[in-house]
Amino acid sequence: MSPIVVQGSDAPRHARTSPSRSRSAARSRAIARAHAPAGAAAAVATGAGTGQKESAFGHVDGVVATRSGTGTKTDAALVDTPVAISVVTQDQIKAQGVQSVSQAVRYSPGVRSEVAGADARFDNIYIRGFVADQYLDSLKLPYFGIFAYPVIEPFNLERVEILHGPASVLYGQSSPGGLVDLVSKRPTLEPYHEMFFSTGSYGRAQGGVDLSGPIDKNKEFLYRVTASGFDVGSQVDHTEYQRFSIAPSLTWRPDNDTTLTVLSTYQRDPKAGFYNQLLPNGIGTITPYKGSTIPTSFYSGEPSFDKTDRTLGMVGYQLEHSFSNNLKARQNVRYMDLSTDFAVVSPNSVTDPTNMTRGAYTTQETIRSINVDNQVETRFNAGPFEHTVLAGLDYLHAVDQRLNGALSVVPAINALNPVYGVSIGPVPYTNNVHQSLDQLGVYAQDQIKYDHWIALLGLRHDLAQSRTDTLTYATGTTAVAPKSDTAVTKRAALLYKFDSGIAPYIQYTESFQPTAGTTFAGSPFAPTTGQQEEVGIKYQPNAKSLYTIAAYNLIQQNVLTPDTDPTHGVGQRVQTGEIRSRGIELEAKTEVNRELTVLASYTYLDNIVTRSNTATQLGKHPVGMPMNSASAWADYTFHGGALDGFGLSGGVRYVGETPGTTANTFYVPAVTLFDASLHYDFSALGPMFKGYSAQINATNIFDKTYVTLCQDIGCYYGLRRNVIATLRYKW
């Protein structure tokens, strides 16, 4: 995503200044007055609560976004974009007390998140039944290792956007289910200052600041710094989360046509999570074991040995230059350095909670990557047709280095009466893996408008190369696995926008995703491919309401399945699998009036294995994905009267039963969870309290104990009740 300028107020007028200063001031006023041009990012925002025209990349006052840059890499109205896109704004993140990206999408359709419960080492999000790739400012956050996973602090984000369905035409190799695009906070034209402090369940101590505005009077230089941190326990004994994050950014606007924004982040998570998978088939969790149930506080590892220590550093820039009103070029670059030091004692696949045999595993892993996305955007008319053409070339280089160690046997533990403190000797190194990835893509997109019709056409060619070198210490040998893939992906969509705000659309789109590994014969696996047909209707009756319904048919080919030839040995795989995902997604976001805001969603998901060489999987549903899920959230805030400034909100989340094994012989029961919040704006008490507010958020308010996920090797408990109180000051 790249920088553009949004509408702002006039720069201050300087009396009797030098000619150069007068020209600089005039230039600044011209920039501030300019309307936001279409582009792939907005590095300059106007600040929260300014009431300025919304851009696709800036702040949204409230929870209803009407523009997005994720679906087209241009600043486009959601109702004009023929694809299902869900936007979670920063105001929604604050209102719901969100603590992670996976929590931010709780109330979005077509999405499954928080599947590992209290184990929050990863922000895995599933869209339409497939794990989604994550992007930051439309540049990929590479994750192809094991435990080095880039987790982004939500306080640093302006919005979280979910693009439903294959998106390879604009983004290259990606999941067929869709992607999550995280939009960073950018420097603002108007001063904005905020600080907060939170406390709550499990000894939470948390705070942060967000400072932004112009550096000079002419608003040629703008800055923003967000910083936050927390220290909190969890529902599981002997576990804790700690984080410190700082994200400074700077925008330079040397003239009316050029904008450069530098974005950076440093995030340190010395305690970034833990592994706490329990027994398969719900033994001791869903079904009591000999009359006893494993407590949700049970920790299966060893406190003196286990750790997840993560450090993330990123720096990059977004540069845009307009050659004319109809031609502009952008370059977006980011370098990332991510390291994780992980050690865990975890249960083996056992069925007796009183004698859980365990093993130990360690890894020291580092991922370094650089992303570059170059774009040229031009607008022109050809007769009655209005064209917005985007052409781009992007490149990703990433290197993953990991040193692994393992102990197959560690003293067992009794989950019903755990005793910790066993001695674990040095964990011997088993292998050293070096993996590199290079992806080069060329893409073109044309948005065509004719009267009420809007067409979207896209085409892309990708070259992806990877190499994996694995040194096995037991044998002293190194296995080298080079791999090269090419792919051409397409997208075509058509939308008709009625004057009433109703916009039906149809879409066809494709994806590809390289697959690591080789067959028994040593041949590299082909990429998985995906194709989707989608129909939908969007309805935007006003600027504060957006309703969407989408129905789709999605197929993924070349899925890995077990190699059933006994002469090939154990653990070999072949690409004979196919998964079909069909569903319906409904989403409603509306600010009914000044007092009442309502969100609602419903998802019907029918994903099934349509091809497999394993009879127990054919015709079965993948684990963890519910066929039905729904959510609703409402907030009512009083304006005037005795309760002026007071507000309350409530939410309900329903997750239907999910398959707990690949053979679908066991199901995890459905669950309904309730959330609530109270908030108060102290400015209702008088001018001296302006800017002060307080809120209390509670999730799973009835403290329901439930299992969120089971798979063949184990199950996870869901999150228990969590209460967070926050005091905030804005000035």
Side-chain angles (χ1 to χ4, degrees):
M1 298 170 62
S2 70
I4 63 174
V5 182
V6 299
Q7 184 176 0
S9 62
D10 287 353
R13 193 181 297 270
H14 302 289
R16 293 185 171 87
T17 56
S18 66
S20 61
R21 279 199 160 187
S22 296
R23 287 193 297 268
S24 176
R27 175 193 62 203
S28 180
R29 288 193 296 272
I31 292 174
R33 284 194 297 265
H35 289 285
V44 182
T46 52
T50 61
Q52 297 292 327
K53 179 181 177 181
E54 179 190 341
S55 80
F57 313 96
H59 181 81
V60 177
D61 287 332
V63 303
V64 184
T66 60
R67 306 189 69 83
S68 169
T70 299
T72 62
K73 286 191 176 180
T74 64
D75 189 338
L78 284 167
V79 73
D80 292 343
T81 306
V83 59
I85 301 173
S86 302
V87 180
V88 180
T89 68
Q90 177 62 215
D91 281 3
Q92 181 179 336
I93 289 173
K94 290 178 180 177
Q96 295 178 343
V98 165
Q99 299 298 310
S100 67
V101 171
S102 59
Q103 290 184 8
V105 300
R106 281 172 170 167
Y107 285 87
S108 300
V111 171
R112 181 90 207 273
S113 64
E114 301 178 276
V115 293
D119 180 356
R121 291 169 297 154
F122 312 116
D123 258 335
N124 285 338
I125 296 171
Y126 292 80
I127 305 175
R128 295 184 173 176
F130 301 91
V131 64
D133 295 284
Q134 291 195 23
Y135 289 70
L136 178 62
D137 301 320
S138 291
L139 293 175
K140 189 169 187 176
L141 292 169
Y143 168 59
F144 59 101
I146 299 179
F147 293 105
Y149 186 99
V151 173
I152 306 300
E153 167 58 44
F155 185 65
N156 297 339
L157 302 176
E158 198 63 77
R159 53 172 78 192
V160 176
E161 304 201 351
I162 303 162
L163 176 57
H164 301 254
S168 286
V169 166
L170 289 180
Y171 295 94
Q173 61 182 55
S174 62
S175 164
L179 61 85
V180 178
D181 191 17
L182 313 175
V183 181
S184 299
K185 290 179 176 177
R186 321 283 169 83
T188 59
L189 280 167
E190 303 303 326
Y192 178 78
H193 310 97
E194 173 189 354
M195 62 185 301
F196 77 93
F197 175 76
S198 298
T199 187
S201 302
Y202 311 116
R204 175 177 295 275
Q206 183 175 8
V209 295
D210 182 359
L211 309 174
S212 184
I215 296 176
D216 62 320
K217 293 182 179 180
N218 297 327
K219 300 185 179 181
E220 181 178 341
F221 292 94
L222 313 173
Y223 83 99
R224 191 161 193 167
V225 177
T226 59
S228 62
F230 59 75
D231 186 319
V232 62
S234 85
Q235 66 193 45
V236 178
D237 293 339
H238 310 290
T239 62
E240 190 176 3
Y241 288 93
Q242 293 177 345
R243 172 178 297 165
F244 170 74
S245 173
I246 184 169
S249 56
L250 177 69
T251 293
W252 177 40
R253 305 185 300 162
D255 54 47
N256 291 351
D257 301 317
T258 307
T259 306
L260 172 66
T261 295
V262 177
L263 299 165
S264 61
T265 300
Y266 175 80
Q267 185 170 303
R268 181 83 172 87
D269 293 43
K271 296 183 179 181
F274 53 92
Y275 179 92
N276 205 47
Q277 186 170 257
L278 302 174
L279 280 64
N281 295 310
I283 299 173
T285 51
I286 297 173
T287 304
Y289 179 82
K290 297 182 179 179
S292 298
T293 301
I294 300 173
T296 58
S297 60
F298 168 66
Y299 181 57
S300 61
E302 282 295 328
S304 62
F305 177 83
D306 298 355
K307 64 178 176 180
T308 304
D309 187 331
R310 180 173 54 230
T311 302
L312 172 65
M314 295 182 291
V315 63
Y317 66 83
Q318 300 174 331
L319 173 65
E320 178 176 276
H321 179 74
S322 297
F323 296 95
S324 69
N325 290 335
N326 298 318
L327 178 63
K328 62 192 68 176
R330 295 184 283 267
Q331 184 179 68
N332 309 315
V333 177
R334 183 174 65 241
Y335 172 76
M336 184 189 82
D337 190 309
L338 171 66
S339 62
T340 299
D341 188 359
F342 177 76
V344 65
V345 170
S346 60
N348 302 319
S349 184
V350 295
T351 57
D352 183 356
T354 65
N355 186 31
M356 297 175 65
T357 59
R358 301 180 294 172
Y361 179 82
T362 66
T363 185
Q364 297 173 4
E365 186 171 2
T366 301
I367 294 180
R368 295 183 174 92
S369 68
I370 185 166
N371 299 59
V372 182
D373 189 8
N374 304 288
Q375 303 170 14
V376 176
E377 180 184 330
T378 181
R379 296 174 176 236
F380 61 91
N381 294 338
F385 299 96
E386 300 177 22
H387 293 264
T388 301
V389 175
L390 179 72
L393 185 149
D394 58 27
Y395 173 69
L396 167 65
H397 172 72
V399 175
D400 175 69
Q401 180 74 46
R402 58 184 180 271
L403 184 63
N404 304 322
L407 279 175
S408 58
V409 178
V410 170
I413 193 170
N414 182 349
L416 304 180
N417 186 24
V419 176
Y420 303 98
V422 300
S423 177
I424 300 175
V427 177
Y429 292 129
T430 54
N431 58 61
N432 193 329
V433 181
H434 181 276
Q435 188 174 10
S436 63
L437 169 68
D438 290 274
Q439 179 187 335
L440 180 67
V442 180
Y443 59 91
Q445 173 185 268
D446 191 4
Q447 300 173 71
I448 308 169
K449 293 185 179 181
Y450 170 71
D451 193 33
H452 290 264
W453 294 95
I454 300 175
L456 184 62
L457 304 174
L459 184 67
R460 181 186 180 100
H461 181 272
D462 271 292
L463 171 63
Q465 295 181 324
S466 65
R467 176 187 169 107
T468 304
D469 297 77
T470 304
L471 169 62
T472 303
Y473 289 105
T475 61
T477 59
T478 299
V480 180
K483 193 169 184 292
S484 180
D485 297 305
T486 60
V488 175
T489 48
K490 304 175 290 294
R491 175 165 76 168
L494 184 65
L495 176 146
Y496 186 86
K497 186 178 180 181
F498 291 92
D499 292 333
S500 62
I502 296 175
Y505 70 89
I506 58 173
Q507 181 196 212
Y508 171 81
T509 185
E510 297 176 344
S511 71
F512 92 102
Q513 195 170 27
T515 305
T518 61
T519 65
F520 167 76
S523 301
F525 291 125
T528 63
T529 56
Q531 306 85 35
Q532 176 187 270
E533 302 91 24
E534 178 176 320
V535 297
I537 300 174
K538 299 186 177 187
Y539 176 46
Q540 185 180 344
N542 54 63
K544 291 298 184 179
S545 299
L546 184 62
Y547 307 90
T548 303
I549 178 171
Y552 65 90
N553 179 65
L554 171 59
I555 298 176
Q556 183 189 40
Q557 297 96 356
N558 296 335
V559 178
L560 293 179
T561 58
D563 188 339
T564 57
D565 189 334
T567 65
H568 291 173
V570 178
Q572 298 296 328
R573 297 178 296 174
V574 293
Q575 286 186 290
T576 60
E578 180 182 87
I579 296 177
R580 185 211 69 208
S581 175
R582 291 177 178 170
I584 300 174
E585 298 166 351
L586 290 83
E587 182 174 33
K589 287 193 169 187
T590 179
E591 297 179 22
V592 179
N593 51 41
R594 191 183 177 202
E595 289 78 22
L596 180 62
T597 297
V598 178
L599 310 178
S601 72
Y602 168 75
T603 302
Y604 171 78
L605 172 64
D606 181 17
N607 60 336
I608 192 170
V609 178
T610 49
R611 289 183 59 195
S612 177
N613 59 358
T614 305
T616 56
Q617 294 183 1
L618 186 62
K620 301 300 192 297
H621 300 281
V623 298
M625 296 298 118
M627 183 168 287
N628 292 281
S629 56
S631 65
W633 183 83
D635 178 271
Y636 190 90
T637 301
F638 293 88
H639 295 283
L643 295 177
D644 185 25
F646 175 74
L648 66 164
S649 59
V652 57
R653 294 174 281 138
Y654 170 79
V655 179
E657 68 172 12
T658 61
T661 61
T662 54
N664 293 183
T665 56
F666 168 76
Y667 280 79
V668 177
V671 63
T672 301
L673 304 172
F674 296 89
D675 307 322
S677 175
L678 300 174
H679 54 91
Y680 184 68
D681 184 349
F682 289 97
S683 62
L685 299 177
M688 64 181 299
F689 294 100
K690 181 180 179 180
Y692 288 95
S693 64
Q695 69 184 70
I696 299 176
N697 293 86
T699 56
N700 189 6
I701 58 176
F702 298 114
D703 200 19
K704 185 176 182 62
T705 299
Y706 65 102
V707 169
T708 184
L709 170 71
C710 283
Q711 46 193 345
D712 290 338
I713 59 174
C715 299
Y716 290 90
Y717 273 124
L719 290 171
R720 299 283 298 270
R721 179 171 53 219
N722 193 19
V723 180
I724 301 175
T726 301
L727 178 64
R728 198 178 307 272
Y729 176 56
K730 297 180 183 180
W731 71 100

